[in-house]
Amino acid sequence: QVHVVESGGGLVQAGGSLRLSCAVSGSTFRHYAVSWYRQAPGGERDLVGASTLGGSTNYAASVKGRFTISRDNAANTVYLQMNSLKPEDTAVYYCNARNVYDTNQDYWGQGTQVIVSS
């Protein structure tokens, strides 16, 4: 059974930083591509950024240049470093882990709340 657990959310002032963590356990981590999504109140779940097994990343235009995804295979963890936070970044942030060799193995975490005050 694969488990995906996000952590690191909280309350921060505009202009501040947070680092979210996504820990994946229960399977071979290096087989999983990990992406970050967020969902604001009343909104849809939108892609924030994605990382591949090879370490390449891409980001939504709204966060490009401010957010960075990194991967630590030894720790089975992917991070989302968020800098220069804005009130519009307020959302629940979710981690998705997808097995690139079997796309039926697609898992979500429970989410972590980020609130950016103005």
Side-chain angles (χ1 to χ4, degrees):
Q1 181 71 25
V2 176
H3 294 280
V4 178
V5 179
E6 304 97 335
S7 61
L11 173 65
V12 63
Q13 288 188 331
S17 298
L18 280 175
R19 188 177 79 158
L20 306 184
S21 299
C22 173
V24 181
S25 62
S27 188
T28 306
F29 178 70
R30 64 180 183 272
H31 292 176
Y32 285 79
V34 176
S35 302
W36 286 94
Y37 290 75
R38 68 186 181 185
Q39 187 167 15
E44 297 184 349
R45 191 172 294 190
D46 297 320
L47 179 68
V48 173
S51 67
T52 68
L53 297 187
S56 61
T57 54
N58 61 81
Y59 302 92
S62 59
V63 306
K64 199 169 186 178
R66 300 187 298 122
F67 290 11
T68 303
I69 295 173
S70 61
R71 183 182 181 111
D72 184 344
N73 285 331
N76 290 0
T77 301
V78 171
Y79 302 98
L80 179 66
Q81 177 67 43
M82 306 186 295
N83 298 328
S84 302
L85 283 161
K86 305 174 181 180
E88 51 264 43
D89 294 318
T90 294
V92 178
Y93 283 71
Y94 296 92
C95 179
N96 172 264
R98 178 177 53 84
N99 189 323
V100 300
Y101 302 107
D102 179 0
T103 55
N104 289 322
Q105 296 186 38
D106 188 290
Y107 303 95
W108 291 88
Q110 81 291 346
T112 185
Q113 176 76 58
V114 172
I115 300 173
V116 184
S117 63
S118 57

